[in-house]
């Protein structure tokens, strides 16, 4: 997908129109406490509708942090100013297993966490992750937090489900880690388009902000359904929605880090359904990144988004465009990076490793200095000359493994050789790789106190 050059005049217009929405249309906040906080700050509140004046919005936007670092006893992760967070699945209610759509189990949740722990790209695990059946009511999010800590030492996105579950998840992570940096976890909260923050979304956001933990404010609309049918109208509404959430965080706790998020879908209006992929989605990513840059804060856009129902050509094509656009935008926080399909409703371990291979290909050409005296090898060109071959040159034998990308899963053999190998499909190769990864996984080692904390809660499973 061609990266669109966003004009300064476009950014300024989006900003101006968004402030107009905040001032004259307003945003609903369905949470009594935050409405009282707004009133005390002198912000106009009418029922659940809140109106933000331009002067307040611009004052708050000038004080935002361009980056921050999550620090745990086991890792340090900078987000913004060149630091990138990469996290995988969140919220998938089903899993693709042996070609069938199934309800995920606790084992599936654990396997997904093991994949995150062994991934060389993922540096931020996710408590929301995939759905896990069989967990006792009232303890689902806390137990998923415990499972995430047990099976991975990487920093965590804590629970985002409700205010109560978010607070419990944050508190457990803090107690488990003991000594940490100022920021030790992060939350991801959503706007309900159009222009509405539900009670639990606000409550969960407040759980992070009150404990001075960073939060991602994310819009997720669908043109013609929950945002205007036009790309321009959707971009402006989305920006106003995110700004309203950012203002909320700073009114409660000035200076708390915030990330500008956008996972707005496209829509098939012939069937009135949102779809997570389309050329418009790539455009939304690029405008969101431009607005985050304008406000001087980290951005969260994109991922391996696909509306496909199976691991097929559609899934690969949509994922490739989405993932490449995400990285071409130079976003700071990549969520849904690997493994999700059917508009984030289905998770697949096979897709996880296939998505990783796409990203590996992308990284293989990033920041490479191709045109240098040393890289051109003029002496070799002169030595081989017209009609020669480079196959047996010393430089070829020395450099071919690191100079060119060699896929592990995608089939690159000629047809005859591939047939002799038994015609292995990419999906079968991905299944083998998943098994290898899970078989090679090693459980993290913790101290006695931490191990006891985990075992006491997991004893009920």
């Amino acid at each position: 997908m061609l990266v669109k050059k966003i004009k300064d005049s476009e950014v300024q217009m989006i900003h101006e129109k968004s402030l107009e929405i905040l001032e004259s249309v307003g945003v609903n906040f369905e949470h009594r406490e935050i409405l009282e906080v707004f009133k005390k700050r002198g912000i106009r509140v009418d029922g659940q509708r809140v109106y933000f004046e331009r002067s307040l919005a611009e004052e708050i936007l000038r004080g935002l942090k361009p980056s921050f670092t999550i620090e745990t006893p086991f890792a340090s992760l900078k987000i913004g100013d060149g630091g990138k967070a990469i996290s995988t699945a969140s919220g998938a209610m089903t899993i693709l297993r042996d070609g069938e759509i199934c309800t995920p189990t606790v084992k599936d949740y654990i396997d997904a966490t093991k994949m995150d722990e062994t991934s060389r790209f993922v540096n931020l695990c996710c408590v929301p992750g995939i759905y896990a059946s069989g967990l006792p009511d009232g303890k689902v999010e806390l137990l998923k937090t415990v499972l995430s800590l047990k099976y991975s030492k990487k920093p965590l996105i804590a629970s985002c489900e409700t205010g109560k579950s978010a607070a419990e998840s944050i508190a457990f992570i803090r107690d488990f880690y003991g000594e940490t940096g100022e920021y030790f976890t992060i939350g991801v909260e959503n706007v309900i388009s159009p222009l509405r923050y539900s009670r639990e979304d606000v409550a969960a956001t407040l759980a992070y902000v009150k404990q001075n933990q960073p939060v991602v404010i994310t819009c997720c609309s669908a043109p013609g359904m929950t945002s205007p049918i036009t790309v321009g109208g959707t971009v402006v509404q989305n920006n106003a929605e995110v700004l309203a959430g950012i203002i909320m965080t700073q009114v409660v706790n000035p200076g708390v880090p915030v990330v500008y998020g956008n996972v707005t879908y496209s829509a098939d209006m012939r069937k009135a359904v949102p779809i997570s992929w389309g050329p418009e989605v790539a455009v939304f990513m690029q405008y969101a990144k431009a607005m985050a840059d304008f406000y001087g804060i980290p951005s969260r856009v994109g991922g391996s988004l696909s509306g496909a129902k199976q691991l097929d050509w559609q899934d690969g094509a949509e994922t490739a465009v989405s993932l490449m656009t995400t990285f071409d935008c130079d976003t700071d926080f990549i969520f849904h990076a690997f493994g999700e399909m059917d508009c984030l409703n289905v998770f697949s371990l096979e897709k996880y490793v296939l998505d990783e291979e796409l990203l590996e290909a992308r990284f293989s050409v990033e920041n490479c200095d191709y045109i240098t005296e040393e890289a051109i090898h003029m002496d070799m060109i002169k030595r081989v000359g017209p009609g020669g071959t480079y196959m047996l040159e010393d430089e070829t034998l020395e450099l071919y493994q690191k100079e060119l990308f060699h896929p592990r899963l995608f089939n690159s053999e000629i047809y005859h050789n591939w047939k002799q190998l038994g015609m292995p499909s990419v999906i079968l190769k991905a299944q083998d790789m998943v098994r290898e990864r899970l078989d090679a996984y090693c459980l993290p080692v913790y101290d006695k106190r931490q191990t006891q904390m985990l075992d006491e809660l997991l004893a009920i499973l």
Side-chain angles (χ1 to χ4, degrees), residues 189-248:
E189 299 302 336
N190 294 324
V191 184
I192 298 180
S193 298
L195 301 165
R196 172 180 166 236
Y197 281 83
S198 72
R199 183 173 65 86
E200 288 301 345
D201 285 328
V202 173
T205 302
L206 293 181
Y208 287 91
V209 172
K210 287 180 177 179
Q211 298 191 60
N212 199 40
Q213 295 306 299
V215 65
V216 185
I217 302 295
T218 307
C219 60
C220 184
S221 62
M225 301 177 70
T226 57
S227 64
I229 188 63
T230 62
V231 168
T234 293
V235 168
V236 169
Q237 178 188 294
N238 285 173
N239 192 61
E241 291 169 333
V242 173
L243 291 186
I246 291 173
I247 293 169
M248 170 178 61

Side-chain angles (χ1 to χ4, degrees), residues 67-82:
S67 67
F68 57 93
T69 300
I70 297 174
E71 295 184 30
T72 77
F74 314 110
S76 179
L77 174 60
K78 182 180 178 182
I79 301 177
D81 279 347

Side-chain angles (χ1 to χ4, degrees), residues 35-76:
L35 293 173
E36 292 301 317
V37 171
F38 286 146
K39 288 177 184 177
K40 288 179 182 178
R41 180 66 186 263
I43 297 168
R44 181 159 69 99
V45 177
D46 182 4
Q48 294 182 338
R49 186 72 57 88
V50 180
Y51 302 87
F52 300 103
E53 293 183 359
R54 168 188 289 267
S55 58
L56 172 67
E58 293 189 328
E59 174 193 340
I60 284 175
L61 291 171
R62 284 193 293 269
L64 302 175
K65 284 184 168 67
S67 67
F68 57 93
T69 300
I70 297 174
E71 295 184 30
T72 77
F74 314 110
S76 179

